[in-house]
Amino acid sequence: MLTYAVFTGLSFFAHSWWHLLIFRFLAALGVGGEWAVGASLLSETWPRHWRPWIAAVLQTGVNVGILIAGLANYLLAARPPRYLFLIGVLPALLVFYIRRAVPETEEWRAARDRAPTREPGLADLFRGPIRRTTILVIIACGLSLTAHWGFMFWHLQQLRNLPEVLTWTAEQKNKLASTALYLVIVSSVLGNFFAGALARKIGYRATIAGMFGAYFVAMFGAYWIPRDHQSLLCWLPAIGFCQGAFALFTMYLPPLFPTLLRTTGAGFCYNIGRITAAFGTVFFWFVLQSRRSPVGFDLCELVVRARHAGFPVFCPAPATEEGAGCYKRGVLEGGNYCPVSIQKARGTTR
């Protein structure tokens, strides 16, 4: 968190693109580390039946942060964009509280005490039964995050470059972008709690797949024909609502891995997905540049966004006994829910 805050603040002083690139890269390292540790901490701390709701609350915290950033952008619309980076310094104030008040979990302490002299590391993600889980989680994260962040970045660029918007002032364009972002994020908050409620009934995996399928439908409806900015603003809440699927990642991913590999496994797979999303967003730019007409732009939106948003529905997810289904089919082994496949490998299946 401190890494993120410091390098986000330093981005204010960037005077060339490579300065900004370095600062944003270092800030992103802080985001990736904080997400992995925070998700693992919550998954080990809260009772199982509360976890879908905690996932919704955690993702809503992300949404609230984005809303605050959108509000800051709206209020600072007349100022240079670099002033927004100063808002990112505020999370540094939480570091002192976290260091004093947030302890390590009992489950993690017990697993560390039982561990052999060498604690598991990154290479262990690609050994034994856990390798299959690692590969499948990387694929799922890579596809879903590429589609998601491709939309989150390019839909604002499209709104700014619609024919009726091109003649607007920079301040008017910023306010339109802020309005669009608010519609997406507020509806995403509702989607977070809907996803949590649905996951309690049908499970994490089925809920994520279903909401990604709905994401595909919403994208198709919004971008299959050219629309003006008012029409698109009407479709954005449906798209945002479907983004509630990502709220479940915080509780679904960490338990897929053994206790001492949870932070490493969830963080590594999710951040590989973020790296893939970064390349995917740039790829979208090159594809969009080849579509000069408004119709071509919207058709490209349909192909590269809606199609990829639907891919996670068909992407092989970790098998139930190796995934979040461990809560139902696994056994509690020394504080860790042990997948059935690992029990079979050890000859300890019950």
Side-chain angles (χ1 to χ4, degrees):
M1 189 176 293
L2 186 61
T3 299
Y4 165 79
V6 169
F7 289 104
T8 297
L10 288 175
S11 299
F12 173 84
F13 301 100
H15 291 286
S16 62
W17 69 267
W18 63 271
H19 292 161
L20 185 62
L21 176 66
I22 293 173
F23 289 143
R24 298 310 294 154
F25 175 79
L26 294 173
L29 293 180
V31 174
E34 186 277 333
W35 183 92
V37 175
S40 299
L41 183 66
L42 288 176
S43 69
E44 294 174 4
T45 302
W46 285 86
R48 190 190 342 168
H49 63 280
W50 277 99
R51 288 172 188 169
W53 297 122
I54 296 303
V57 172
L58 183 63
Q59 185 66 22
T60 298
V62 175
N63 297 142
V64 169
I66 295 175
L67 289 176
I68 293 174
L71 176 62
N73 181 59
Y74 187 88
L75 296 176
L76 299 175
R79 290 186 172 274
R82 68 172 60 241
Y83 280 87
L84 288 173
F85 288 121
L86 297 179
I87 306 298
V89 178
L90 297 178
L93 301 177
L94 295 174
V95 172
F96 302 102
Y97 170 79
I98 292 173
R99 290 292 297 172
R100 286 177 172 270
V102 180
E104 298 290 355
T105 65
E106 291 299 326
E107 183 176 341
W108 182 85
R109 291 178 184 274
R112 185 187 60 177
D113 292 340
R114 293 192 310 272
T117 54
R118 185 188 72 85
E119 293 187 4
L122 183 63
D124 292 293
L125 292 175
F126 298 93
R127 294 174 180 155
I130 205 66
R131 176 174 55 193
R132 178 176 180 272
T133 299
T134 300
I135 293 173
L136 291 175
V137 173
I138 288 174
I139 293 173
C141 288
L143 289 174
S144 59
L145 291 174
T146 297
H148 174 66
W149 284 110
F151 164 76
M152 290 300 291
F153 183 82
W154 286 114
H155 85 280
L156 296 178
Q157 305 305 315
Q158 186 209 19
L159 282 173
R160 293 174 185 271
N161 288 278
L162 289 173
E164 73 272 18
V165 178
L166 282 174
T167 58
W168 293 11
T169 65
E171 182 175 353
Q172 289 175 318
K173 291 180 180 179
N174 282 340
K175 289 185 177 181
L176 174 63
S178 295
T179 300
L181 188 62
Y182 262 75
L183 288 174
V184 172
I185 299 304
V186 170
S187 57
S188 180
V189 171
L190 299 177
N192 294 339
F193 288 94
F194 175 80
L198 191 59
R200 286 172 59 88
K201 295 183 178 297
I202 66 175
Y204 290 118
R205 183 181 174 188
T207 301
I208 292 172
M211 294 198 71
F212 276 145
Y215 205 157
F216 174 88
V217 173
M219 293 294 296
F220 188 95
Y223 292 104
W224 76 283
I225 59 172
R227 299 183 185 276
D228 60 24
H229 73 281
Q230 292 180 337
S231 297
L232 286 174
L233 290 179
C234 294
W235 277 95
L236 291 181
I239 296 173
F241 185 84
C242 298
Q243 293 176 2
F246 289 100
L248 301 180
F249 277 39
T250 55
M251 295 295 132
Y252 178 70
L253 298 186
L256 300 177
F257 302 93
T259 302
L260 294 181
L261 270 176
R262 280 182 183 170
T263 298
T264 303
F268 178 78
C269 295
Y270 191 79
N271 286 303
I272 289 295
R274 292 172 66 222
I275 293 172
T276 304
F279 283 104
T281 302
V282 176
F283 170 76
F284 291 166
W285 181 84
F286 283 111
V287 174
L288 293 174
Q289 288 299 300
S290 67
R291 310 298 205 273
R292 296 297 182 181
S293 67
V295 174
F297 191 101
D298 283 332
L299 288 176
C300 185
E301 295 276 2
L302 165 64
V303 173
V304 300
R305 294 185 189 171
R307 184 182 177 194
H308 281 272
F311 269 178
V313 177
F314 308 104
C315 176
T320 304
E321 64 267 25
E322 293 187 71
C326 293
Y327 292 134
K328 294 183 179 180
R329 298 186 58 185
V331 295
L332 186 62
E333 180 181 89
N336 184 31
Y337 284 90
C338 182
V340 171
S341 60
I342 295 179
Q343 299 168 41
K344 291 179 179 178
R346 296 173 179 170
T348 59
T349 306
R350 298 179 186 177

